[in-house]
Structure formats: structure tokens, C-alpha cells
Amino acid sequence: MSVATNRESIKNTVKAAADIAQVIGEVVELKRAGNRLAGLCPFHNEKTPSFSVNSQGQFFHCFGCGEHGDVFAFVMKYHRMDFPEALKFLAQKYGIELAERQLTEAEKLQLRRREALYEANEAAAIVYQQCLRHPKLGKVARTYLEQRGVPDEVAERYRLGCAPDPEQAGWSWLADQLLAKGLSRETLVLAGLAVGKERGGHYDRFRSRVMFPLADMTGRVVAFGGRILGDGKPKYLNSPESSIFEKSRLLFGLHPHREAIRRQRRALVVEGNFDLLSLAVHGIDNAVAPLGTALTREHIRALRGYGDEAVLLFDADAAGLKAAMRSIPHFLAEQVEGRVALLPAGHDPDSYVRAEGPEAIAALVAAARPLAEFAFDALVRTHGLTLTGKNKIVAELKELIKESTQPEQRALMVAHFSEKLGVSPGYFQSSPPAGRLLPPRNETPAVEGLARLPAQERHLIEFIILYPEYFDELLRAGLVDAVREPASRRLVDLMSRMGDTGARQPEQLLAHVADTDDRAYIVQVLTRGLPYETGQEQAREMCDVLVRWVRSTLHKQASAELQEEIRRAESLGNKGLLMELIGRKQEMEQKKKG
């Protein structure tokens, strides 16, 4: 067997073992829609689910942005892996031994480099943990954690560690240990664990710090955050970015808290690592924290796969207000429900939960205000409601409104803010009325095609879209003659010409539907499913019901046509034809009863 053939065999083995619904379901909330699963696309912002997963065919497709592919394609795009990494990741996940010799030399080299970074970070995490437990080297860090109210079990759960004081352990304490484990100096520098000297040699990047391992969504350690022990600067230091770490995409706590966020449908966003730890100590395990940066659009997109909303739990100082304001455009762009809960003056989440308990945090979250309302009130406090102040408020709100990708949402915000300010909605237009921001009330878009079908025919069409495997059976029952509406007949004719069941899968079907409204309707059907729960047994039963409906419809049509012929024969006085037609009708009724 050739290398290429053997490699393809390994790929197929892994693909056959990997459940695409399980892999995607770990990062995207999926709901049953016919014989497939649907959810919000993780690759573009949307409010209505257009992301579809076909468990039977083992592929995904987004009808909104067009992203599609198999389980390898998803892992590569979502986790930003190349193919060898995705192959190895899935093979390990499903217990398949993967021979490295199946990869090309270039792939092996790239994989080894990234794996070396993962290995270095994991080894460093273990060494830092051991240091925290060390009677001498970890004493200052343990005392600090105790003062911050972090018990040993929480330190273990989040794998906290310690980078010792160089006066005690030396300036290359960590690097020397990792080099002794066989890791290269180049890898340690690339991972940000060591800093190279101009004249040769190296020293540890992290010194005299409590260490926080940062994990990606596969659970692997990709970087570290370190909080200084003492009065040095910077107070917090993160690993530099690398090929496995981008701080604008990663949130501290998201991996360990993802299931809690999914259960509660809500994430709390705090500013500091110790804020998160203190909340966890008090049983609040759905918090995340950005890594010393402002909340980014990628952060919010990552949260979107786990919950319906995010509550920003920020300080009531100027920095907290500014951080909340900066995040508003990202929430609007990603269409994630965002609210703001400002803590009492002088408190951060850490101090507040320790002073008042988790019930006080719950009360703040329950009373959190929508981002748009928060923005408006903050602008009023800043600029006032004088004529000049209103002009400034309108100018800033226009920038926020522009970030929304939904016309309906923009129109609603314009109506809401213009009423609160007592100004005309026209003030929020970016330019003079070349295009209206708010449509006249008497303008309602006409709905054409499949969306206007009679109820029973619409149910049948939705069923064959979701369950094309039953199309041939319905065709044999007389489907072509049973549907009467032009849009239905077009779709049935198209599916007949497309041939076998595989060719009629929604992705192929959409490629052949010319009418824009019909395409939009099919996407809507695929992403919401039928208005009731259906498994394979229910689908089988529904097909039987529809077969009976098709046959009944054909009988009614034939009966109506025959009755019309009887009426014409009677009006012409043709008794011979009349008796023949009456006999045929009686025979038809007997067959129906039989």
C-alpha cells in the first residue's frame, strides 16, 4: 500500500470514529431540526440559527456564511489547527493510534513545533504547581493565596502554581528544569517561558509570581498569566502570543466553566483572575475573564456558543465604565444579549463577594441593565441634556447603532433613543434621506413562493426538505399530481430531476433553487425544523400520514373532475354517457372504502 493510500485510510478511520455532532456540540449548542441539528454559527454573527449539522452524512453547513465541511474542517477552522493537528486531536479523542510516519516531512516538522510548545507549557504548569507546594519556594505564594481567600482545593482545581523569587531559586530556575527534560532553548523562548540574552544564555520570564495556566477549548495549556508577589511591576504579566496562543481569542475560565455557562445560559464577565477565583470559591462557576485586554469581538463570539447572554460585572470607576462602553459595539455586532452590573463604589467582584456573599452578586446580576440602556445613561451623565449635550449623545449613539447588523434592531434603537432624547429619528440618519432608516408603516414586504402555501401542502413540502429519504415513496404515492401550487410543483419537479436521496440533501438542493424567497424559506425550514419533535420513528409515521394525504387528495381531485363530467353530460342530455360516468364514480367510491 502506498504512503498516500495508507494515509487516506488512517484519515477515513478517524473520520468514521469521530461523531461530528459530539465534536461540534462541545462548542456550539445544537438542537434537533428534522433529521439534522441546528445552532448559531460559530464562524459569523447571527441571531437566527443557520448552522446545520448532519449526523448521518457527517458534515456541517452554514446557510448564512457558507462555511461547510467534515469534522476535520470544523476542528481546523474553529480551533485554528492545521490538518495534521486536527487528525491527531481527533485520533486521541477517539482512542485511535496514529502513526506519525503517515505525515509528510513538512507536516511532521510543523506538528512537532506546535506540539513542542504544548509540551513546554504543560511541563511548566506541572513545575509551577510543584513549586507552590514546596515548603520553602512556595511559602510566599501560599500565604498570598490564603490572604486572598483561595483554599488549596481551588488552587488545585485551577492548577495554580508559583514562579519563585530569583534570589531564592536563581534567574533560570524554570528554564533549567525544562531543558533537563529535553525541551530546547528555542522552544522555551517561543513559548514565552524564557527570554534569550543578547550575549547568549537565558532567564525565566516569570519570577516571583502566582501562576495561572491558560487553557484553550481543548483543555491544553497554551500560555500563562502571572500575578506579582509584592510591589513589582507589571502587576499582571501574560505569555507573549505564539502560534498556539492569541489573547484576543482566549478567556480565562471558559474551558473549566463552559458546562456551567451552558447550564445557566449566562456568563459573567469579570476583569481579573482573582475576581474569577473568588466567585468560584463562593460557588459562582460561570465567570470568565479577558487576559488583561479589553473584551474583543472574538471573546463574545466564543461565549455565544454556550449561553444566551453575558453580564459584565465591572467596577463602578471610570475604567469599569469605559470597559463596558468599549464592549457595546462587539455585542451588537455579534448579536449577543449583553447587560451591565456595576459594583458599589470601592468594590471589585473579589472584595464584594467576600464581604457580602454570593447572594449579593446574584442580586446585582438580576438587576443588571441592558447594554444600550447603560450606554444611554452613561452618555447623559457625561454630556448632560443641553442642546450641545444632546448633539454629542446623538453622535456617539449613531456609532453604536451602526455596529448592529440587523435592520430591525437598528430601527428599534433609533425609535427608542429618539423618544428618550425628545428628537426626531432623522437626527440618527448618517446622511440626508437618500434611504429611510425606518420604513413607513404601510410598507410590508410581500411574501412569495413556498412561504405562502396552504397549511397541509406546506407541511408536506417542509417534510420532504427535512427528510429527502422519503421523497421517492411519496413520489410513488402520486406526489407530483397531489401538489397544486406553482411553488410546490417547482420544488417537487426539481427534486425528481435531482435523482437519488444523496443528491437531494439540502446543501445540493439550495444550489439548484433559483428563487431567492424560496431559498430563504428552505433555509428557515432547515434551521428551525418541524414545529414538533421528530425522531426517525416519528418521521416514518409522518411519512405514512402524508402518503395517505396524497392518496386522499388524488381521490378528491379525481372525484371532483368526474363530478364535473357528470354535470356536463347531464346538461347535454347524454343519458348513455351519464350512466357510464355514474358507474365509474360508484366504482371509485367502492375502491376507496375497500
Side-chain angles (χ1 to χ4, degrees), residues 119-130 159-162 174 178 193 213 221 224:
E119 184 184 354
N121 281 307
E122 178 59 30
I126 294 171
V127 172
Y128 286 141
Q129 283 181 284
Q130 292 170 342
R159 301 189 68 187
L160 302 189
C162 165
L174 173 73
L178 298 186
L193 296 168
V221 179
F224 291 90

Side-chain angles (χ1 to χ4, degrees), residues 48-49 63 451 462 518-529:
T48 302
F63 299 106
E462 290 179 355
D518 285 354
R519 284 175 56 84
Y521 181 75
I522 291 171
V523 169
Q524 182 185 26
V525 170
L526 290 168
T527 52
R528 68 165 165 76

Side-chain angles (χ1 to χ4, degrees), residues 142-441:
R142 288 196 306 276
T143 301
Y144 178 78
L145 290 174
E146 184 179 347
Q147 292 170 346
R148 296 295 298 255
V150 180
D152 293 344
E153 58 269 23
V154 171
E156 287 292 326
R157 187 193 318 163
Y158 293 91
R159 301 189 68 187
L160 302 189
C162 165
D165 187 331
E167 298 300 323
Q168 286 183 299
W171 284 76
S172 58
W173 170 86
L174 173 73
D176 292 344
Q177 291 187 70
L178 298 186
L179 288 171
K181 293 178 183 291
L183 290 158
S184 70
R185 178 177 177 273
E186 178 189 13
T187 296
L188 300 185
V189 172
L190 288 174
L193 296 168
V195 179
K197 297 179 181 178
E198 289 184 7
R199 298 182 179 180
H202 53 266
Y203 60 91
D204 295 339
R205 177 179 298 275
F206 297 102
R207 306 174 303 278
S208 299
R209 293 180 183 272
V210 172
M211 300 300 295
F212 299 84
L214 306 175
D216 64 14
M217 291 313 295
T218 67
R220 294 172 298 181
V221 179
V222 296
F224 291 90
R227 203 283 182 193
I228 194 72
L229 291 167
D231 298 324
K233 290 186 178 180
K235 182 187 289 187
Y236 280 95
L237 178 66
N238 290 319
S239 299
E241 293 196 343
S242 68
S243 61
I244 62 171
F245 170 55
E246 293 178 62
K247 61 184 178 181
S248 64
R249 288 171 52 87
L250 199 64
L251 288 161
F252 176 56
L254 183 54
H255 181 261
H257 290 176
R258 65 194 188 284
E259 290 306 320
I261 294 170
R262 199 195 297 270
R263 282 196 310 273
Q264 299 176 51
R265 311 300 310 146
R266 174 192 295 141
L268 304 184
V269 181
V270 297
E271 294 182 282
N273 293 0
F274 275 102
D275 293 329
L276 184 147
L277 289 179
S278 289
L279 293 176
V281 167
H282 290 84
I284 301 172
D285 58 355
N286 62 328
V288 296
L291 305 176
T293 65
L295 204 59
T296 68
R297 185 168 174 176
E298 287 75 17
H299 289 147
I300 296 167
R301 184 174 297 174
L303 291 173
R304 190 181 64 192
Y306 298 95
D308 301 319
E309 68 170 6
V311 177
L312 310 184
L313 198 58
F314 285 172
D315 305 354
D317 58 15
L321 293 172
K322 189 175 181 181
M325 288 290 288
R326 279 199 307 261
S327 71
I328 292 172
H330 303 316
F331 277 95
L332 290 174
E334 288 299 319
Q335 298 176 42
V336 171
E337 183 70 25
R339 295 192 292 140
V340 179
L342 290 179
L343 291 137
H347 277 293
D348 56 27
D350 174 25
S351 65
Y352 194 61
V353 74
R354 286 202 280 165
E356 304 296 335
E359 297 80 10
I361 295 291
L364 276 181
V365 171
R369 305 199 62 207
L371 272 170
E373 294 298 312
F374 166 82
F376 181 84
D377 290 348
L379 290 173
V380 169
R381 286 195 301 272
T382 302
H383 301 301
L385 289 174
T386 63
L387 182 60
T388 301
K390 285 186 177 182
N391 276 327
K392 292 179 179 178
I393 291 171
V394 168
E396 294 200 39
L397 288 176
K398 278 168 65 176
E399 294 304 310
L400 293 181
I401 291 167
K402 269 197 249 177
E403 296 293 336
S404 173
T405 58
Q406 292 292 317
E408 298 86 355
Q409 187 184 50
R410 290 197 301 271
L412 187 63
M413 291 171 69
V414 166
H416 180 69
F417 287 136
S418 60
E419 182 179 354
K420 293 199 76 166
L421 283 170
V423 300
S424 166
Y427 280 96
F428 288 93
Q429 291 180 335
S430 298
S431 56
R436 294 186 305 272
L437 191 57
L438 288 170
R441 293 182 183 180

Side-chain angles (χ1 to χ4, degrees), residues 100-115:
E100 188 175 315
R101 55 184 165 76
Q102 303 302 322
L103 306 177
T104 66
E105 289 302 318
E107 289 172 338
K108 288 180 188 177
L109 178 60
Q110 187 175 20
L111 186 60
R112 280 198 298 269
R113 284 175 175 169
R114 287 172 64 97
E115 283 299 320

